[in-house]
Amino acid sequence: MAALNRATESFRATKKKTISKICSVGVKHKWLKYPSLIAAVLFISIVNVVFYVSLWIILNKHKAIGICIMAIAAIGLLVLYNDYYSADSLYRQTEKDYVIYENSQDDVISSDGYELPDEKLSDQEEPEPVEWQDTLKIDFDGLHSINNDIVGWIYFENEDISYPILQGETNDDYLRTTYVGESSIEGSIFLESMNNSDFDDFHTIIYGHNMRNLSMFGRLQYYYKDSEYYNDHKYFQIITPGKKYRYEIVSYKHVEDNDSIYEVKEMVGTECNDFMQGKIMNGSLTGVNVNVSENDHIVTLSTCSLGDNRFVVSALRVDEE
């Protein structure tokens, strides 16, 4: 304690000498008067903070370590939140700018163009159901003006999954990068680099992160967490500049990251159904079974799960336009 008292006294004496020297410059050179006073105030403030914080750390090093850890964690959480918010804002704005949904408005519009009040909604006839292929339209010209690596759009019927699909030269290109080229934890929904970009392979793989805020492929976890979810969420669409495809989910399960379901190769004849039964249907949690031929097309959606495992959702193409 005596040593700390001596250090404090020495610090105060040195501080007084330094302040006097700064002020003497201002007195000697009148045109430096105000800058020197400002410098003196800044010097006093900064040195005081540094000295007393250092002194507190010396006396309370265990508390200081804890506070530093908490501060670092808080900064990390702020950075993570900002990343989530920025990426979500980008994709939500993209959806508004480049996607047109049929019957997407909750408000009913009268014949003269005015919104009808809620009490009159019951008097209106139910809107006719929209065919799946007319559900949405994508402005690919606008999207390609930003990035030509956009090869399609994935849209889940009856669920909030609607994103552009990217394809890079490698699977790392869009792992942590948005379609506008910004670094992001969410990255992009992207097509396996070895697949054909027209989705015409027998087996196509699409990757997306399992985000805690349920963005990207985060909602796929509901398939294994809620036993009733599958019955109401069997279909998704993939829209490309030239075609629209509809898929029915037939399998979902947990696999290891090096599972053979990630094989991308040409298959013909009985190889196709062997792959379907052995790699896709085997271990499936849906309880259904499907046979296929080389004329069929399968899409597997892959996202991260616990540890090094992956969760995959596989679907059979059932319609196209």
mmCIF file of all heavy atoms in Angstrom, residues 95-119:
data_model
loop_
_atom_site.group_PDB
_atom_site.id
_atom_site.type_symbol
_atom_site.label_atom_id
_atom_site.label_comp_id
_atom_site.label_asym_id
_atom_site.label_seq_id
_atom_site.Cartn_x
_atom_site.Cartn_y
_atom_site.Cartn_z
ATOM 1 N N GLU A 95 -36.330 -9.230 -51.464
ATOM 2 C CA GLU A 95 -37.629 -9.861 -51.722
ATOM 3 C C GLU A 95 -38.656 -8.822 -52.156
ATOM 4 O O GLU A 95 -39.448 -9.058 -53.082
ATOM 5 C CB GLU A 95 -38.083 -10.578 -50.455
ATOM 6 C CG GLU A 95 -39.177 -11.585 -50.663
ATOM 7 C CD GLU A 95 -39.482 -12.359 -49.392
ATOM 8 O OE1 GLU A 95 -38.860 -12.085 -48.345
ATOM 9 O OE2 GLU A 95 -40.383 -13.211 -49.462
ATOM 10 N N LYS A 96 -38.644 -7.664 -51.519
ATOM 11 C CA LYS A 96 -39.589 -6.606 -51.873
ATOM 12 C C LYS A 96 -39.318 -6.054 -53.267
ATOM 13 O O LYS A 96 -40.246 -5.715 -54.003
ATOM 14 C CB LYS A 96 -39.513 -5.466 -50.852
ATOM 15 C CG LYS A 96 -40.053 -5.826 -49.478
ATOM 16 C CD LYS A 96 -39.925 -4.641 -48.523
ATOM 17 C CE LYS A 96 -40.462 -4.977 -47.146
ATOM 18 N NZ LYS A 96 -40.314 -3.840 -46.205
ATOM 19 N N ASP A 97 -38.030 -5.956 -53.615
ATOM 20 C CA ASP A 97 -37.650 -5.311 -54.875
ATOM 21 C C ASP A 97 -37.777 -6.226 -56.090
ATOM 22 O O ASP A 97 -38.033 -5.745 -57.199
ATOM 23 C CB ASP A 97 -36.210 -4.801 -54.782
ATOM 24 C CG ASP A 97 -36.064 -3.654 -53.794
ATOM 25 O OD1 ASP A 97 -37.089 -3.042 -53.442
ATOM 26 O OD2 ASP A 97 -34.920 -3.382 -53.368
ATOM 27 N N TYR A 98 -37.587 -7.525 -55.919
ATOM 28 C CA TYR A 98 -37.460 -8.408 -57.077
ATOM 29 C C TYR A 98 -38.451 -9.570 -57.124
ATOM 30 O O TYR A 98 -38.383 -10.391 -58.021
ATOM 31 C CB TYR A 98 -36.028 -8.970 -57.137
ATOM 32 C CG TYR A 98 -34.981 -7.887 -57.255
ATOM 33 C CD1 TYR A 98 -34.224 -7.502 -56.153
ATOM 34 C CD2 TYR A 98 -34.765 -7.224 -58.467
ATOM 35 C CE1 TYR A 98 -33.272 -6.503 -56.249
ATOM 36 C CE2 TYR A 98 -33.818 -6.221 -58.578
ATOM 37 C CZ TYR A 98 -33.075 -5.865 -57.460
ATOM 38 O OH TYR A 98 -32.136 -4.865 -57.562
ATOM 39 N N VAL A 99 -39.368 -9.649 -56.131
ATOM 40 C CA VAL A 99 -40.338 -10.743 -56.109
ATOM 41 C C VAL A 99 -41.749 -10.162 -56.076
ATOM 42 O O VAL A 99 -42.045 -9.258 -55.297
ATOM 43 C CB VAL A 99 -40.124 -11.658 -54.882
ATOM 44 C CG1 VAL A 99 -41.121 -12.816 -54.912
ATOM 45 C CG2 VAL A 99 -38.694 -12.200 -54.850
ATOM 46 N N ILE A 100 -42.602 -10.713 -56.918
ATOM 47 C CA ILE A 100 -44.010 -10.331 -56.927
ATOM 48 C C ILE A 100 -44.820 -11.561 -56.548
ATOM 49 O O ILE A 100 -44.774 -12.592 -57.223
ATOM 50 C CB ILE A 100 -44.458 -9.835 -58.316
ATOM 51 C CG1 ILE A 100 -43.646 -8.600 -58.733
ATOM 52 C CG2 ILE A 100 -45.951 -9.511 -58.305
ATOM 53 C CD1 ILE A 100 -43.929 -8.152 -60.146
ATOM 54 N N TYR A 101 -45.568 -11.463 -55.443
ATOM 55 C CA TYR A 101 -46.405 -12.564 -54.972
ATOM 56 C C TYR A 101 -47.853 -12.323 -55.379
ATOM 57 O O TYR A 101 -48.373 -11.216 -55.230
ATOM 58 C CB TYR A 101 -46.336 -12.691 -53.451
ATOM 59 C CG TYR A 101 -44.996 -13.142 -52.925
ATOM 60 C CD1 TYR A 101 -44.067 -12.219 -52.456
ATOM 61 C CD2 TYR A 101 -44.660 -14.490 -52.884
ATOM 62 C CE1 TYR A 101 -42.840 -12.630 -51.970
ATOM 63 C CE2 TYR A 101 -43.434 -14.913 -52.398
ATOM 64 C CZ TYR A 101 -42.518 -13.975 -51.941
ATOM 65 O OH TYR A 101 -41.301 -14.379 -51.460
ATOM 66 N N GLU A 102 -48.500 -13.372 -55.866
ATOM 67 C CA GLU A 102 -49.921 -13.287 -56.172
ATOM 68 C C GLU A 102 -50.711 -13.393 -54.866
ATOM 69 O O GLU A 102 -50.427 -14.248 -54.024
ATOM 70 C CB GLU A 102 -50.340 -14.413 -57.118
ATOM 71 C CG GLU A 102 -49.767 -14.279 -58.519
ATOM 72 C CD GLU A 102 -50.302 -13.062 -59.246
ATOM 73 O OE1 GLU A 102 -51.458 -12.677 -58.961
ATOM 74 O OE2 GLU A 102 -49.573 -12.505 -60.083
ATOM 75 N N ASN A 103 -51.736 -12.515 -54.699
ATOM 76 C CA ASN A 103 -52.577 -12.512 -53.495
ATOM 77 C C ASN A 103 -51.757 -12.430 -52.219
ATOM 78 O O ASN A 103 -52.056 -13.064 -51.214
ATOM 79 C CB ASN A 103 -53.442 -13.779 -53.441
ATOM 80 C CG ASN A 103 -54.492 -13.792 -54.527
ATOM 81 O OD1 ASN A 103 -54.742 -12.775 -55.155
ATOM 82 N ND2 ASN A 103 -55.082 -14.946 -54.754
ATOM 83 N N SER A 104 -50.672 -11.642 -52.269
ATOM 84 C CA SER A 104 -49.820 -11.533 -51.093
ATOM 85 C C SER A 104 -50.286 -10.453 -50.131
ATOM 86 O O SER A 104 -49.839 -10.388 -49.001
ATOM 87 C CB SER A 104 -48.378 -11.225 -51.512
ATOM 88 O OG SER A 104 -48.313 -9.982 -52.194
ATOM 89 N N GLN A 105 -51.204 -9.574 -50.592
ATOM 90 C CA GLN A 105 -51.665 -8.492 -49.735
ATOM 91 C C GLN A 105 -52.806 -8.964 -48.841
ATOM 92 O O GLN A 105 -53.742 -9.633 -49.285
ATOM 93 C CB GLN A 105 -52.150 -7.298 -50.583
ATOM 94 C CG GLN A 105 -51.059 -6.708 -51.452
ATOM 95 C CD GLN A 105 -49.919 -6.155 -50.635
ATOM 96 O OE1 GLN A 105 -50.138 -5.579 -49.586
ATOM 97 N NE2 GLN A 105 -48.700 -6.344 -51.108
ATOM 98 N N ASP A 106 -52.755 -8.612 -47.597
ATOM 99 C CA ASP A 106 -53.806 -8.989 -46.657
ATOM 100 C C ASP A 106 -55.058 -8.127 -46.823
ATOM 101 O O ASP A 106 -56.160 -8.545 -46.493
ATOM 102 C CB ASP A 106 -53.305 -8.874 -45.209
ATOM 103 C CG ASP A 106 -52.203 -9.859 -44.919
ATOM 104 O OD1 ASP A 106 -52.204 -10.934 -45.534
ATOM 105 O OD2 ASP A 106 -51.346 -9.542 -44.065
ATOM 106 N N ASP A 107 -54.863 -6.915 -47.334
ATOM 107 C CA ASP A 107 -56.004 -6.017 -47.488
ATOM 108 C C ASP A 107 -56.775 -6.352 -48.758
ATOM 109 O O ASP A 107 -56.207 -6.712 -49.784
ATOM 110 C CB ASP A 107 -55.531 -4.558 -47.565
ATOM 111 C CG ASP A 107 -54.864 -4.136 -46.275
ATOM 112 O OD1 ASP A 107 -55.351 -4.507 -45.211
ATOM 113 O OD2 ASP A 107 -53.842 -3.424 -46.366
ATOM 114 N N VAL A 108 -58.074 -6.209 -48.697
ATOM 115 C CA VAL A 108 -58.917 -6.420 -49.865
ATOM 116 C C VAL A 108 -59.138 -5.073 -50.549
ATOM 117 O O VAL A 108 -59.438 -4.078 -49.900
ATOM 118 C CB VAL A 108 -60.270 -7.038 -49.453
ATOM 119 C CG1 VAL A 108 -61.190 -7.164 -50.655
ATOM 120 C CG2 VAL A 108 -60.033 -8.400 -48.805
ATOM 121 N N ILE A 109 -58.999 -5.045 -51.858
ATOM 122 C CA ILE A 109 -59.124 -3.803 -52.618
ATOM 123 C C ILE A 109 -60.470 -3.793 -53.346
ATOM 124 O O ILE A 109 -60.845 -4.763 -54.001
ATOM 125 C CB ILE A 109 -57.980 -3.663 -53.633
ATOM 126 C CG1 ILE A 109 -56.631 -3.870 -52.926
ATOM 127 C CG2 ILE A 109 -58.033 -2.323 -54.325
ATOM 128 C CD1 ILE A 109 -56.350 -2.875 -51.833
ATOM 129 N N SER A 110 -61.202 -2.704 -53.238
ATOM 130 C CA SER A 110 -62.494 -2.591 -53.912
ATOM 131 C C SER A 110 -62.282 -2.288 -55.385
ATOM 132 O O SER A 110 -61.181 -2.004 -55.829
ATOM 133 C CB SER A 110 -63.327 -1.490 -53.253
ATOM 134 O OG SER A 110 -62.691 -0.238 -53.418
ATOM 135 N N SER A 111 -63.372 -2.305 -56.136
ATOM 136 C CA SER A 111 -63.285 -2.106 -57.580
ATOM 137 C C SER A 111 -62.791 -0.720 -57.950
ATOM 138 O O SER A 111 -62.245 -0.514 -59.032
ATOM 139 C CB SER A 111 -64.654 -2.364 -58.221
ATOM 140 O OG SER A 111 -65.625 -1.494 -57.658
ATOM 141 N N ASP A 112 -63.004 0.278 -57.064
ATOM 142 C CA ASP A 112 -62.545 1.625 -57.388
ATOM 143 C C ASP A 112 -61.138 1.909 -56.863
ATOM 144 O O ASP A 112 -60.683 3.049 -56.906
ATOM 145 C CB ASP A 112 -63.530 2.655 -56.821
ATOM 146 C CG ASP A 112 -63.696 2.527 -55.312
ATOM 147 O OD1 ASP A 112 -63.026 1.674 -54.702
ATOM 148 O OD2 ASP A 112 -64.505 3.287 -54.776
ATOM 149 N N GLY A 113 -60.469 0.859 -56.351
ATOM 150 C CA GLY A 113 -59.073 1.014 -55.976
ATOM 151 C C GLY A 113 -58.806 1.351 -54.538
ATOM 152 O O GLY A 113 -57.662 1.484 -54.132
ATOM 153 N N TYR A 114 -59.860 1.512 -53.712
ATOM 154 C CA TYR A 114 -59.675 1.873 -52.314
ATOM 155 C C TYR A 114 -59.705 0.628 -51.443
ATOM 156 O O TYR A 114 -60.435 -0.328 -51.714
ATOM 157 C CB TYR A 114 -60.767 2.852 -51.855
ATOM 158 C CG TYR A 114 -60.647 4.206 -52.487
ATOM 159 C CD1 TYR A 114 -61.398 4.523 -53.623
ATOM 160 C CD2 TYR A 114 -59.777 5.160 -51.979
ATOM 161 C CE1 TYR A 114 -61.291 5.770 -54.220
ATOM 162 C CE2 TYR A 114 -59.667 6.414 -52.577
ATOM 163 C CZ TYR A 114 -60.431 6.700 -53.698
ATOM 164 O OH TYR A 114 -60.302 7.926 -54.275
ATOM 165 N N GLU A 115 -58.932 0.664 -50.365
ATOM 166 C CA GLU A 115 -58.913 -0.445 -49.433
ATOM 167 C C GLU A 115 -60.228 -0.479 -48.655
ATOM 168 O O GLU A 115 -60.701 0.544 -48.153
ATOM 169 C CB GLU A 115 -57.746 -0.319 -48.443
ATOM 170 C CG GLU A 115 -56.393 -0.452 -49.104
ATOM 171 C CD GLU A 115 -55.280 -0.383 -48.077
ATOM 172 O OE1 GLU A 115 -55.578 -0.285 -46.867
ATOM 173 O OE2 GLU A 115 -54.118 -0.430 -48.492
ATOM 174 N N LEU A 116 -60.803 -1.666 -48.551
ATOM 175 C CA LEU A 116 -62.042 -1.810 -47.813
ATOM 176 C C LEU A 116 -61.761 -1.956 -46.331
ATOM 177 O O LEU A 116 -60.779 -2.585 -45.941
ATOM 178 C CB LEU A 116 -62.798 -3.053 -48.297
ATOM 179 C CG LEU A 116 -63.251 -3.023 -49.767
ATOM 180 C CD1 LEU A 116 -63.896 -4.349 -50.128
ATOM 181 C CD2 LEU A 116 -64.246 -1.883 -49.989
ATOM 182 N N PRO A 117 -62.597 -1.389 -45.460
ATOM 183 C CA PRO A 117 -62.402 -1.544 -44.017
ATOM 184 C C PRO A 117 -62.588 -2.991 -43.606
ATOM 185 O O PRO A 117 -63.242 -3.772 -44.290
ATOM 186 C CB PRO A 117 -63.479 -0.634 -43.411
ATOM 187 C CG PRO A 117 -64.524 -0.518 -44.485
ATOM 188 C CD PRO A 117 -63.771 -0.560 -45.789
ATOM 189 N N ASP A 118 -62.023 -3.340 -42.432
ATOM 190 C CA ASP A 118 -62.027 -4.724 -41.968
ATOM 191 C C ASP A 118 -63.437 -5.301 -41.853
ATOM 192 O O ASP A 118 -63.672 -6.470 -42.124
ATOM 193 C CB ASP A 118 -61.338 -4.835 -40.604
ATOM 194 C CG ASP A 118 -59.853 -4.556 -40.720
ATOM 195 O OD1 ASP A 118 -59.344 -4.629 -41.851
ATOM 196 O OD2 ASP A 118 -59.223 -4.268 -39.680
ATOM 197 N N GLU A 119 -64.427 -4.466 -41.455
ATOM 198 C CA GLU A 119 -65.771 -5.000 -41.236
ATOM 199 C C GLU A 119 -66.430 -5.453 -42.531
ATOM 200 O O GLU A 119 -67.420 -6.171 -42.515
ATOM 201 C CB GLU A 119 -66.666 -3.962 -40.547
ATOM 202 C CG GLU A 119 -66.852 -2.665 -41.311
ATOM 203 C CD GLU A 119 -65.807 -1.633 -40.894
ATOM 204 O OE1 GLU A 119 -64.796 -2.053 -40.300
ATOM 205 O OE2 GLU A 119 -66.034 -0.445 -41.141
#
